[in-house]
Amino acid sequence: MRGPERKAQLLVVARKVFGRNGFHGVSMDDVAREAGVTKPILYDHFSSKEALYLALLDADSLELEERLRSALAAPTGNRERIRASFQAYFEFVDEHAEGFRLLMQETVGANDVFRSGVGRVRNRIMQEVSDLIVRESKGQLDREDADTVALALVGMVETAARHDPGGPKDRRRRSVDTLVRLAWRGITNLTL
C-alpha cells in the first residue's frame, strides 16, 4: 500500500479506536494492532499518539466545515440555506459518529491543543454564519447581534444533533424541520 493510502487507512482505523475509547484509553499499540500493521509503520506516518489524534480532528473538522460552507453558499434562499446547513450537520454526525464524538469529547477535555483546535473550527463556522446573517439582513442586524445569533444557531444544532446520533432517519429529519422552523421564525422576527 502506498504512503497516502496507508495514512488514510490508519486514520480510518484510529477514528474507530479513539471513538470507542477516547484519547486516554488508546495506545499506539492498540491502533497498530487494529490496523494490522506494526507500530513502526504507524510511527512512520504519525510521530506520536497526539499527532495521530490531531490529524483525526483536522480531517473531521475539515469535512464538517466543507459541508457547512457548501450548504451556506447555496443560492436557494435563506430558509433553504438554514435547512441545508442544519441537515449537513446532522448528516455529518450520523455518518461519522466516531469523528463527531472525537470533536465533542475534546471540547471539554483537558488537552488545550485539542480544545483550541476544535474551538478554532467552531469559531470559523460561527464567523461564516454571522457573515451570512449580516449580509442577508441588509443592515437590520449589526455584527454584534449577528455574532450572538450565529453562536445560538451553531449551539442549538450541535446540541440537537448529539441527541440520538444515527437514530431513525425520519426522526432526524423531523428534528431538522423543527429546528428550521424555530430558527427561521426567530431570525425573521429579529429583523422586523
Side-chain angles (χ1 to χ4, degrees), residues 8-149:
Q9 181 244 349
L10 292 172
L11 285 172
V12 168
V13 171
R15 183 175 290 110
K16 290 177 185 170
V17 176
F18 281 124
R20 276 194 311 257
N21 302 313
F23 178 76
H24 296 291
V26 171
S27 70
M28 291 294 267
D29 284 323
D30 297 331
V31 175
R33 186 174 28 263
E34 185 126 351
V37 300
T38 63
K39 204 157 84 170
I41 289 175
L42 184 58
Y43 277 107
D44 280 344
H45 295 281
F46 305 99
S47 61
S48 66
K49 181 170 83 164
E50 184 175 275
L52 173 58
Y53 202 77
L54 286 171
L56 285 172
L57 289 176
D58 287 346
D60 289 339
S61 298
L62 180 63
E63 181 176 348
L64 178 59
E65 280 186 85
E66 287 173 359
R67 286 180 180 213
L68 291 174
R69 190 172 291 118
S70 176
L72 291 172
T76 56
N78 290 328
R79 186 178 182 133
E80 284 312 307
R81 279 189 195 113
I82 291 170
R83 177 178 305 289
S85 62
F86 288 7
Q87 189 65 47
Y89 203 97
F90 270 71
E91 286 173 359
F92 175 82
V93 171
D94 290 346
E95 293 169 15
H96 303 335
E98 297 97 353
F100 185 74
R101 210 172 7 262
L102 289 174
L103 287 172
M104 292 303 103
Q105 282 175 336
E106 299 319 323
T107 61
V108 295
N111 189 313
D112 285 338
V113 174
F114 301 154
R115 196 171 44 252
S116 65
V118 171
R120 281 190 301 276
V121 170
R122 191 176 275 135
N123 288 339
R124 285 193 303 268
I125 291 169
M126 285 189 290
Q127 183 66 45
E128 287 194 39
V129 172
S130 183
D131 290 346
L132 179 65
I133 291 168
V134 167
R135 185 175 64 250
E136 295 297 319
S137 75
K138 296 177 175 57
Q140 293 183 346
L141 284 179
D142 65 14
R143 172 59 63 180
E144 188 174 340
D145 289 341
D147 287 347
T148 300
V149 172

